[in-house]
Amino acid sequence: MSNIKKLTIKDIATKANVSTATVSRYLNGQLNQMSEKTAAKLKKIIKETAYIRNSAAVQLAKQKSNLIAVIASNIDEYFSSEYFKGIVSILSAQGYIGVLFDSNSDKIIESALLESVYNQNFAGLILQPLSTDRRLIEKFSNNHIPVVLIDRDIGNGEISTVTTNNFQITKFAMTNFLDKGFTKVTIITEPVNDISTRVERVAGARSVFDNVQLIEVDTDHLDLAELSDKIDIKNPKNFLFVLKERLLIQLIANTDLLNETNSQQRLTGFIDTNIPKYLAPKYKFIQQSPYLMGATAAEILMAQFLEQHNTDIKQIVIPSRFE
């Protein structure tokens, strides 16, 4: 067994002739609370002594772990898997681990997960909310557990959020189709249910078209035959606007829209990957950036750890593109 004594924070503080609190602040990235000279001295000593921080002891002292809870509305969606990758890319670089939970598009499950996460030793929470009930997550903030919302906003302006420009980009895309001579848009979506993302996209379409048909479906039990009877496909002035990529792919793969010769595009929607572009290379879609949204959410969370006295609420919009 090695007889080499492991260095402690106190040992580093003695070598640097500073307090243990100063060393702790340096290790926690709170460099704004010390001079540049002190920070440089600590960096040099830590490198020379090959000091390794005892993460377990730090977590015990803080009564927090290095685990970050990520609650997705539905992990079957491409959007969820992509933004989780973005979250992990930032967390792992900072020594944190993202733990993914699935509320499975069910508010009751979401509520139970939030309660479970709150009662466990998680350092922070990134949430794609289903419920608009702010009370479900206010207790996290009240207990100084950082929370960032992704993709959706619950409207109180008191919690940092990362969203996309749903209304603006939808309005831009709809104007493009109006200019091409279309007079009707059929929107295909999962139940809107006051979910801000869907509400904003529907509003964007209605801001351009007077004739709007809204069809709400169950993605997991989609009856394409029944749907085809509703979407007025024989009307050449009607086009389809799909709010979710998984729905969009099912329509591209199972309708005759792409097989019509010499016809203009009659289908568009929001996408999270390049799959729809491979299936319909001549079509234009609204391309989201879920990976970047996830990475941005994680960066905001990390900043809240490092700037414990910073109460600024971030409302970040990652633009989507119609291309």
Side-chain angles (χ1 to χ4, degrees):
M1 181 181 294
S2 173
N3 292 319
I4 299 176
K5 178 185 175 183
K6 285 188 176 181
L7 291 176
T8 66
I9 284 183
K10 186 176 180 180
D11 295 326
I12 299 298
T14 300
K15 288 178 179 292
N17 195 27
V18 298
S19 68
T20 55
T22 298
V23 179
S24 179
R25 291 189 192 102
Y26 177 84
L27 294 172
N28 284 304
Q30 298 170 345
L31 305 185
N32 60 333
Q33 298 186 33
M34 66 190 70
S35 68
E36 292 183 3
K37 182 179 179 181
T38 297
K41 183 196 296 186
L42 287 170
K43 181 179 180 180
K44 182 173 184 292
I45 292 173
I46 288 171
K47 182 177 180 180
E48 289 175 348
T49 59
Y51 170 74
I52 299 176
R53 191 182 196 187
N54 188 334
S55 297
V58 171
Q59 291 168 20
L60 182 62
K62 291 183 174 181
Q63 293 188 332
K64 299 292 182 187
S65 71
N66 65 338
L67 302 179
I68 304 298
V70 180
I71 301 181
S73 65
N74 189 338
I75 61 174
D76 288 336
E77 304 299 340
Y78 300 114
F79 184 87
S80 299
S81 60
E82 288 297 313
Y83 78 62
F84 185 65
K85 291 177 185 177
I87 290 171
V88 170
S89 72
I90 299 299
L91 296 185
S92 60
Q94 300 294 329
Y96 287 86
I97 299 171
V99 182
L100 182 61
F101 298 91
D102 181 17
S103 59
N104 197 30
S105 301
D106 189 316
K107 291 182 180 180
I108 295 177
I109 294 177
E110 178 184 72
S111 179
L113 285 173
L114 285 169
E115 187 66 24
S116 178
V117 167
Y118 180 76
N119 291 323
Q120 301 301 316
N121 197 29
F122 284 93
L125 168 66
I126 297 177
L127 171 67
Q128 184 187 15
L130 292 167
S131 174
T132 57
D133 186 354
R134 296 190 290 270
R135 293 172 298 178
L136 292 174
I137 54 178
E138 282 177 345
K139 60 185 177 182
F140 287 89
S141 301
N142 293 338
N143 200 33
H144 306 292
I145 301 174
V147 178
V148 179
L149 303 182
I150 188 168
D151 184 42
R152 297 163 184 173
D153 190 359
I154 59 175
N156 68 344
E158 297 177 359
I159 300 175
S160 292
T161 62
V162 180
T163 57
T164 192
N165 54 336
N166 289 295
F167 178 86
Q168 294 84 355
I169 194 63
T170 296
K171 183 176 181 179
F172 179 80
M174 295 301 102
T175 301
N176 179 275
F177 284 97
L178 182 67
D179 292 342
K180 292 182 181 300
F182 290 99
T183 58
K184 177 182 179 181
V185 55
T186 296
I187 303 173
I188 303 175
T189 177
E190 290 186 323
V192 176
N193 288 342
D194 294 325
I195 292 175
S196 64
T197 302
R198 299 168 192 171
V199 170
E200 292 167 2
R201 294 174 184 179
V202 172
R206 285 179 169 155
S207 72
V208 176
F209 283 93
D210 294 325
N211 192 355
V212 177
Q213 179 186 14
L214 179 64
I215 301 177
E216 297 177 315
V217 301
D218 181 346
T219 308
D220 294 322
H221 304 92
L222 183 62
D223 187 331
L224 289 168
E226 180 182 346
L227 180 62
S228 64
D229 293 334
K230 298 179 180 179
I231 60 179
D232 194 17
I233 194 64
K234 294 183 179 180
N235 179 359
K237 297 297 183 180
N238 177 41
F239 78 98
L240 309 183
F241 176 40
V242 188
L243 303 194
K244 179 171 290 188
E245 179 172 314
R246 192 149 63 102
L247 275 171
L248 186 65
I249 290 174
Q250 291 182 72
L251 287 170
I252 291 175
N254 291 281
T255 74
D256 61 354
L257 288 175
L258 298 183
N259 296 326
E260 297 179 11
T261 59
N262 301 319
S263 65
Q264 57 183 326
Q265 177 177 348
R266 295 183 58 193
L267 172 71
T268 194
F270 278 81
I271 64 174
D272 312 307
T273 70
N274 287 322
I275 296 174
K277 292 181 179 180
Y278 296 143
L279 295 174
K282 295 182 180 180
Y283 279 25
K284 295 178 69 174
F285 302 102
I286 300 175
Q287 177 75 64
Q288 298 191 101
S289 301
Y291 184 94
L292 180 57
M293 291 173 70
T296 302
E299 287 176 343
I300 293 173
L301 199 72
M302 292 296 98
Q304 291 185 24
F305 289 143
L306 297 176
E307 303 170 16
Q308 296 178 6
H309 302 293
N310 184 357
T311 57
D312 289 345
I313 302 301
K314 308 292 185 183
Q315 305 289 340
I316 306 297
V317 176
I318 306 297
S320 294
R321 306 177 307 277
F322 182 57
E323 58 184 25

